[in-house]
Amino acid sequence: MYLITTITLNPSLDLNIYVDKLRKNQNNRSKSMKYDIGGKATHVSLVLSTLDIENKATGIMGGNNGKTIIKMMENRNVNCDFVFQEGDETRITYIIVQQEEEGTFMLTEPGFRIESKTFEALKKKVKEIVRKDDFVVISGGIPPGIDIWNYGDLLNLIKEIGGRLIIDTSGECLKEAVKHKPYLLKPNEVELSQIIGYVPNSLEEYIKELKLLNKKGIEIVALSLGDKGSIISTIDKSFRIIPPKVVQINDTGCGDVFLGGAVAMLYENRALEDVFRFATAISASKATKPGTSEFSLEDAEKFRKETEIYDV
Ligand code: TA6
């Protein structure tokens, strides 16, 4: 059986700050604060490990923040094997969560500058871990010090080994990812418009563009429409998914947990509709939790039954 490797090039320690409502030019006294595991491919590993699906989480970490994230992940049974850059500190992302109304405010830092020897060490580690037919999930952007050529090199390396790329990214990285024909690509509407050069204004236009990506060799395109759900497209079929209505507490990490649910079900060779029904349900569960990496399999089972799917 193949393994699943998740790569987070620019992880983050998230600090969730809970306030009644964020008010400008006032002292917003937080009601509580909570550190949590920042998303991206780390969240995919959390979902896989929660489902007892073997996987390995790697990427680049630094300092006490990096050690804190790894300890939190290992406490949730994730097998971590990160490259450490001495003397630097993994960034913190500040997420202000309002309790009087829906919606969060996120403040991110760029992350520390990656030295070339660090990136070489990561590529060496990927060569050691990844085998032919393994799923390799790469989520998020690239930190300072890693340019788009380095990113392309990493994707090339994985394809040369025969790994199946699953990519969730944006901007220049997304354009580069398309060139490497990933097995699964998960853009949102803004990210899709970045690669096609315009904003589709009908479901038919979206389907046409997703099919063009399938024809370019991308097996599965999962277009995220946020809390409106998603459109899933392969060469043979496409369907629209409508998520259940939930009371949203903190939407941070929903996209990453969605991808984790999809990867888990793909690994178990489920039918495509079941793959993304579960992905939608576990993502909905994440939205109802106060942290950035929290979800519940029990809630996901309930939400799975409330998720609608129809062919388009
Ligand atoms: O996708 C959610 C999340 O990973 C948060 O947990 C927070 O770490 C943020 O995104 C980081 O975003 P960035 O685009 O800066 O990597």
Side-chain angles (χ1 to χ4, degrees), residues 10 12 14 37-40 43 91 93 106 108 252-253 256 292:
N10 195 14
S12 160
D14 283 2
I37 302 160
K40 307 304 180 243
H43 283 185
R91 63 189 174 138
T93 294
M106 189 190 298
T108 60
T252 309
D256 306 311
T292 40

Side-chain angles (χ1 to χ4, degrees), residues 13 61-72 84-90 92:
L13 178 62
M61 293 273 191
N64 289 326
N65 292 346
K67 292 186 179 102
T68 301
I69 297 168
I70 288 172
K71 190 161 177 45
M72 292 164 98
F84 252 83
Q85 181 164 300
E86 294 309 321
D88 286 296
E89 196 62 60
T90 289
I92 291 178

Side-chain angles (χ1 to χ4, degrees), residues 71 138 157 211:
K71 190 161 177 45
I138 305 183
L157 167 62
K211 289 293 180 196

